Amino acid sequence: MTHSSIPDHCRLIIEPAPLTGSWNMAVDESLLETAVSQDLCTLRWYRWKDPTISLGYFQSNETEVQNDTWKNLPRVRRLSGGGAILHHHELTYSFAIPASHPLSRSLPDLYLIIHQPLIDVLSKQGLNVEFRGTSISSQTEPFLCFGRGDERDLVYQGKKILGSAQRRRRGAVVQHGSLLLLTSDYAPLFPGLLNQTGKTSLYQDSFLETLTEEFSKAISQTIGLPLQSRNLTDDEFAQATDLENEKYSLPAWTSRK
């Protein structure tokens, strides 16, 4: 693919096993760099090896993250903005798209374009979610993302079940989203989608695999790019390793304000 050409496909990466927060964030930044340098679109699905707090890029490392419930949890700072997320029983995506693709030019629309296919797939599973439709503002933003309200959130009966955030770099964009499926003991105020619908028994590998595959197909159709399942390149793996070692695993990065 020549530089500045519109991508003719979207690479699909489905991680086979849960991974550490520092590695997940390092890989996503590497994919953003690939979008910048090679005009490649990548959709990635992953989970988290341990319950992990991810701070938004611009977020202060507030004392709230040091409370007794979370004091022993690993934490990492994301490349994208927004509030902190307690990643536990969820499915997470990242979508990196180059500046050459028209979708990169309207960031608010990108949320809608990626989330509508998720709504459609969940509906087929009998899980009827919708866009919040209106934003909720307050003088002091809650520390956790799932305590905040944006019109592009996905909700079930008013309860947020998917939050997302973006980061732009040289015209390319990476968008993160976390689909909360089960309530975490570390954040009991935020009910998972399957808890709310009485379908907690669905939370198993086969269900997550089905969701991931169906989400990917639906997103592919919406963005008009066929999927090609591929792994990280050797260069991307090496870059992600450097990013993890020199950035995302370091307390100086995670705790900076």
Side-chain angles (χ1 to χ4, degrees), residues 95-186:
F95 182 71
I97 194 159
S100 60
H101 196 284
L103 288 178
S104 69
R105 295 165 200 166
S106 178
L107 299 191
D109 288 345
L110 188 58
Y111 289 116
L112 305 179
I113 288 166
I114 298 301
H115 292 171
Q116 184 61 54
L118 307 189
I119 291 174
D120 296 340
V121 169
L122 290 171
S123 178
K124 293 177 182 177
Q125 295 284 340
L127 303 167
N128 297 314
V129 305
E130 59 187 358
F131 289 108
R132 185 187 298 278
T134 58
S135 294
I136 300 172
S137 60
S138 59
Q139 289 185 340
T140 304
E141 287 278 25
F143 179 69
L144 290 177
C145 168
F146 277 78
R148 303 181 181 190
D150 182 86
E151 62 186 282
R152 294 168 288 265
D153 294 338
L154 296 191
V155 299
Y156 178 81
Q157 295 185 351
K159 299 290 187 180
K160 184 173 180 176
I161 55 91
L162 186 140
S164 52
Q166 298 172 337
R167 182 66 184 272
R168 184 186 287 277
R169 177 175 292 174
R170 283 171 280 174
V173 182
V174 65
Q175 178 172 302
H176 288 129
S178 296
L179 175 62
L180 179 59
L181 291 169
L182 287 184
T183 306
S184 171
D185 291 340
Y186 297 100

Side-chain angles (χ1 to χ4, degrees), residues 11 27-35 42 44 96 232 236:
R11 176 174 51 171
V27 170
D28 282 350
E29 181 166 358
S30 179
L31 297 181
L32 177 59
E33 279 298 319
T34 296
T42 304
R44 175 175 178 249
L232 295 176
E236 287 172 329

